[in-house]
Amino acid sequence: MSSPRAVLLEECTWPEVETALENGTRTVIVAVGSIEQHGPHLPLNMDTLDGDELSRRIAAELGDALAAPTIRPGCSGHHMAFPGTITMPPETLMDVIRAYCRSLAEHGFEHVVLVPTHGGNFAPVSTVAPEIAREIDASVITLADLDDHMELLNEGLREAGVEYQQDVIHAGAAETAMVLAIEEGLVRTDRLEAGPEGSISTARLLSEGFDSITENGVLGEPSEATAEAGDAIFDAVTDAYVERIEAERDAVCDDRQ
């Protein structure tokens, strides 16, 4: 599997997956995205685009992994005031994640890595992962620390020379930069609008809905974004996540010896 896109499970044939497993590919990356509003300038599938790109980069960097199709939609009830958002209950999302993991483990993958890319999915992923790990032979590695994830996005901005920081990230500089890096034409640059800055109550966002905080669905200033910053963000997250995956896999191997 030499080409970067060859790590995509969905583009492989079943004999190619079988061969990959026989040749030592035992890790699969499962991103958990969403279909939800991201302001007037970003597409509804932003978190899914993020999941597709991040899982592909992680699998390619590991060198012995495949990237599964990103799970979507996710838990986006707090965005339902904005048309186009599709949400599912946490228990439904957890059932879908369980089905993914069971299927992949049955075929011989030894490590299933769960990577939520939408804030509302971090808690369901963290909740269901230990249950799944007890049900299947594969190890279940979760990268589901939301504060850490958002800090990595801010770190990527800084590394690209964008001195802009947000504690709660949604449709602002970081996510706009990421979409610019994936496919610039998906960003409606003529519709960039700033949203609230400063301290944001996540409890209020979740209980009262996103529209209780922001009229346009944006937090922060998307005009600060650049495609270069988006690439730096993906590099920062990929590097950090690959390091953690390798550490987790090594720990599992040590435990089994």
Side-chain angles (χ1 to χ4, degrees):
M1 295 200 171
S2 56
S3 99
R5 296 194 62 80
V7 299
L8 300 181
L9 179 73
E10 64 189 14
E11 294 188 0
C12 296
T13 64
W14 74 260
E16 289 170 343
V17 176
E18 183 176 67
T19 299
L21 286 163
E22 290 172 350
N23 290 340
T25 295
R26 300 292 166 73
T27 299
V28 62
I29 315 300
V30 180
V32 190
S34 73
I35 300 295
E36 66 179 34
Q37 74 82 22
H38 278 80
H41 66 291
L42 293 181
L44 294 165
N45 67 340
M46 188 276 144
D47 291 329
T48 301
L49 290 169
D50 177 8
D52 290 345
E53 182 68 9
L54 186 56
S55 60
R56 182 189 67 78
R57 288 187 182 222
I58 291 171
E61 184 68 23
L62 286 169
D64 59 355
L66 291 175
T70 300
I71 294 175
R72 61 174 182 172
C75 298
S76 302
H78 47 300
H79 291 283
M80 282 300 291
F82 298 89
T85 298
I86 299 174
T87 190
M88 65 168 71
E91 58 270 20
T92 303
L93 177 61
M94 289 190 285
D95 281 344
V96 173
I97 295 170
R98 186 178 286 109
Y100 259 60
C101 292
R102 285 174 174 169
S103 298
L104 295 164
E106 184 172 331
H107 295 306
F109 287 98
E110 296 178 359
H111 309 284
V112 182
V113 182
L114 300 177
V115 185
T117 54
H118 157 57
N121 295 341
F122 279 70
V125 167
S126 296
T127 298
V128 76
E131 299 173 13
I132 298 171
R134 291 191 291 270
E135 298 170 3
I136 65 176
D137 291 333
S139 69
V140 181
I141 299 170
T142 58
L143 300 171
D145 184 327
L146 181 55
D147 289 338
D148 176 70
H149 182 75
M150 289 193 289
E151 179 50 36
L152 285 170
L153 303 191
N154 284 318
E155 178 184 316
L157 287 175
R158 291 192 298 270
E159 289 180 356
V162 179
E163 294 300 325
Y164 188 82
Q165 169 111 7
Q166 282 186 275
D167 294 332
V168 180
I169 290 172
H170 189 82
E175 291 194 325
T176 301
M178 294 159 79
V179 179
L180 286 172
I182 295 168
E183 189 172 338
E184 188 172 347
L186 292 176
V187 179
R188 283 68 164 175
T189 53
D190 59 333
R191 301 179 193 173
L192 294 175
E193 297 178 6
E197 300 270 6
S199 179
I200 303 292
S201 170
T202 53
R204 183 180 175 190
L205 285 178
L206 294 173
S207 62
E208 299 181 27
F210 229 75
D211 58 321
S212 69
I213 300 291
T214 169
E215 292 183 1
N216 62 4
V218 177
L219 297 178
E221 182 52 81
S223 65
E224 295 282 344
T226 65
E228 293 76 18
D231 271 325
I233 289 170
F234 280 118
D235 286 344
V237 180
T238 299
D239 290 347
Y241 281 9
V242 165
E243 183 177 343
R244 292 168 201 175
I245 292 166
E246 290 177 334
E248 289 286 344
R249 294 193 308 187
D250 289 344
V252 169
C253 290
D254 290 342
D255 289 342
R256 289 175 179 173
Q257 291 177 355

